[in-house]
Amino acid sequence: MFFSKLFLSLLVFLVSTFAYAESDMYGAIEIGSKGIKGVVIQMVGESDEGNMEVRKELEPQNKTAILPSATDDAVNAVGEIFNEITQKYNIPNDHIFIYGSSGVALNPNKEELANKIKEKTGRELDFITVEQEAQFAFDGVVPKNRRGQVAFIDIGGGNIKGSYLEQPEGKLTSFGIPLGTSKFERLINDSRGETSFLAKAEELRVKELIPKIRDISERKPGLMNLKRVYLAGGISWAMSTLIRPDQRTSFSRLSVEDVTTFHNRVTKNFRKLFEPDLSRISNSTRGKVEAEIAKTKTVYSENGYIAGAEILKALSSELKFKDKDAIFFARNAMQAIPLGYLQSMIDNVDKDKKKQVDEDKL
């Protein structure tokens, strides 16, 4: 019995080690203004869910790289993450890419930062622009075969932002509204006086949110012609978790009816919101689903949920969700920029290889 268990443990170790040794595994390290994080990503076959899958999010390092005095701490943090990716996941050095955000690119000491990171890891440090961040976020979420069909909408705490490709030229177009979930909640609170929060939220959805969304739809008519919507952000995650707990894939399917159901539960039966039907959840995933539902109770207050539900309702009505072929919550949106960045790097490597092959034929 002892040797059987030992053999089984060894087999599991070998399988997992060689699985991570495949050439389709990559790592990305992002040096941001507020911290340093790494992800391990695997290339998979092209599908409606894209051709990249996040295998592991590494523990982020709470180090800043925007001050010259913090350069060494940032370099050491990058080195730790780099070593974890190479050693634990057996990923070769040339499959790991390191980049600094647009905020870090403003660091007057960025050349020293880049030189020290190269000494530590052997890899070049790339700096990306705000425009590239928008492009990478879109590319990281939207699969290649869907990019001409999708409006990507991220509902954050401070704003609503989105992007899509104009057709037929394929140029990325971005838009933004300075009223995210938290900011809209504060606006409601600050202006409601003796009015109930819910009544004021409904009023401001009509007076504040809808005109801003309508203005964008009128100025960017290409947005209305797209047949798919990918939603991101905390309130989108909460809606997907609480209304469609059975949807656990990278793209969790939603409907305009789900937006309505979510709004109704938030505004009319708030306690019921946290009691979704779990009858279709398998025993193997029930624990994870229940843990995620429990987490939704801590992310927003009741007023925060009301503000978020009003935003979703306004987006649904003004962007005509009812006419779309599909609406999804993009679960991988939190890793959108590293996914998009990695995709661009891999594409460039492939182009260089093809160019070399063509030159060798001459």
Side-chain angles (χ1 to χ4, degrees):
M1 179 66 72
F2 171 78
F3 288 106
S4 296
K5 290 183 177 179
L6 181 63
F7 175 76
L8 182 59
S9 298
L10 180 61
L11 182 61
V12 170
F13 171 78
L14 290 172
V15 169
S16 63
T17 299
F18 284 111
Y20 283 119
E22 297 295 331
S23 61
D24 60 357
M25 300 292 291
Y26 291 83
I29 301 175
E30 176 183 284
I31 305 174
S33 299
K34 297 181 180 179
I36 299 168
K37 62 183 181 181
V39 293
V40 173
I41 292 168
Q42 183 174 23
M43 299 295 292
V44 296
E46 189 71 49
S47 71
D48 281 356
E49 294 186 3
N51 64 339
M52 306 183 89
E53 180 180 304
V54 175
R55 291 293 297 268
K56 179 67 177 179
E57 295 177 61
L58 279 64
E59 189 70 28
Q61 296 267 4
N62 188 25
K63 306 292 183 182
T64 181
I66 59 175
L67 299 174
S69 60
T71 296
D72 288 340
D73 286 343
V75 171
N76 289 333
V78 170
E80 289 179 20
I81 294 174
F82 186 87
N83 289 337
E84 184 176 356
I85 292 175
T86 57
Q87 296 171 15
K88 185 174 181 179
Y89 300 97
N90 204 25
I91 296 176
N93 290 14
D94 61 354
H95 276 215
I96 302 173
F97 298 90
I98 308 172
Y99 65 93
S101 70
S102 60
V104 174
L106 300 176
N107 180 357
N109 217 37
K110 69 178 185 179
E111 288 188 11
E112 180 186 0
L113 177 68
N115 290 336
K116 288 188 173 182
I117 284 177
K118 187 171 183 180
E119 289 176 9
K120 177 75 73 172
T121 66
R123 302 296 288 159
E124 299 284 348
L125 172 60
D126 191 15
F127 293 98
I128 62 177
T129 65
V130 173
E131 292 76 16
Q132 285 176 310
E133 285 178 339
Q135 183 73 61
F136 292 150
F138 182 83
D139 291 346
V141 171
V142 184
K144 283 184 177 180
N145 61 329
R146 295 292 186 188
R147 288 181 188 169
Q149 308 167 8
V150 170
F152 172 53
I153 304 172
D154 185 355
I155 306 169
N159 58 46
I160 304 164
K161 51 187 175 293
S163 52
Y164 65 98
L165 294 183
E166 288 281 4
Q167 299 301 321
E169 62 271 21
K171 177 184 176 182
L172 183 72
T173 298
S174 300
F175 58 90
I177 298 170
L179 279 178
T181 307
S182 299
K183 196 169 182 180
F184 188 46
E185 180 185 1
R186 288 195 299 271
L187 176 65
I188 298 165
N189 257 329
D190 293 344
S191 59
R192 71 188 183 96
E194 298 299 319
T195 307
S196 72
F197 186 92
L198 177 57
K200 196 65 179 182
E202 292 174 342
E203 176 187 334
L204 292 183
R205 168 171 52 84
V206 175
K207 290 184 177 180
E208 293 288 339
L209 283 172
I210 286 179
K212 288 179 171 60
I213 299 170
R214 191 168 293 172
D215 175 64
I216 288 172
S217 66
E218 290 173 353
R219 289 188 295 107
K220 301 179 185 294
L223 177 64
M224 301 303 293
N225 298 327
L226 299 165
K227 289 298 184 181
R228 287 181 170 237
V229 173
Y230 289 0
L231 295 172
I235 197 66
S236 302
W237 160 76
M239 175 175 64
S240 176
T241 300
L242 296 169
I243 303 301
R244 289 286 185 179
D246 57 313
Q247 294 284 325
R248 305 290 300 167
T249 59
S250 299
F251 290 88
S252 300
R253 184 177 285 273
L254 297 165
S255 67
V256 66
E257 290 80 13
D258 292 331
V259 177
T260 300
T261 299
F262 181 68
H263 183 273
N264 287 341
R265 289 185 185 173
V266 167
T267 59
K268 298 176 182 178
N269 195 350
F270 188 67
R271 289 186 180 181
K272 182 71 173 177
L273 178 67
F274 303 103
E275 300 174 3
D277 180 9
L278 301 183
S279 62
R280 300 202 302 183
I281 306 298
S282 66
N283 291 334
S284 61
T285 61
R286 182 175 288 269
K288 291 182 179 180
V289 173
E290 289 176 340
E292 202 164 2
I293 290 170
K295 189 176 179 180
T296 64
K297 298 178 182 180
T298 67
V299 175
Y300 300 107
S301 65
E302 182 172 353
N303 285 351
Y305 268 105
I306 291 172
E310 294 294 350
I311 289 173
L312 284 164
K313 183 174 181 178
L315 288 169
S316 178
S317 66
E318 294 309 304
L319 298 184
K320 304 291 189 269
F321 282 9
K322 63 181 177 62
D323 296 331
K324 306 302 181 185
D325 291 342
I327 305 165
F328 293 96
F329 164 59
R331 195 171 291 275
N332 278 347
M334 288 293 289
Q335 298 86 30
I337 292 179
L339 282 166
Y341 180 82
L342 257 183
Q343 182 67 68
S344 73
M345 292 298 101
I346 293 168
D347 288 346
N348 288 338
V349 170
D350 290 342
K351 287 177 184 177
D352 290 342
K353 287 181 179 178
K354 184 178 184 302
K355 181 180 178 181
Q356 186 63 52
V357 170
D358 291 341
E359 290 176 353
D360 291 342
K361 290 179 180 179
L362 296 177

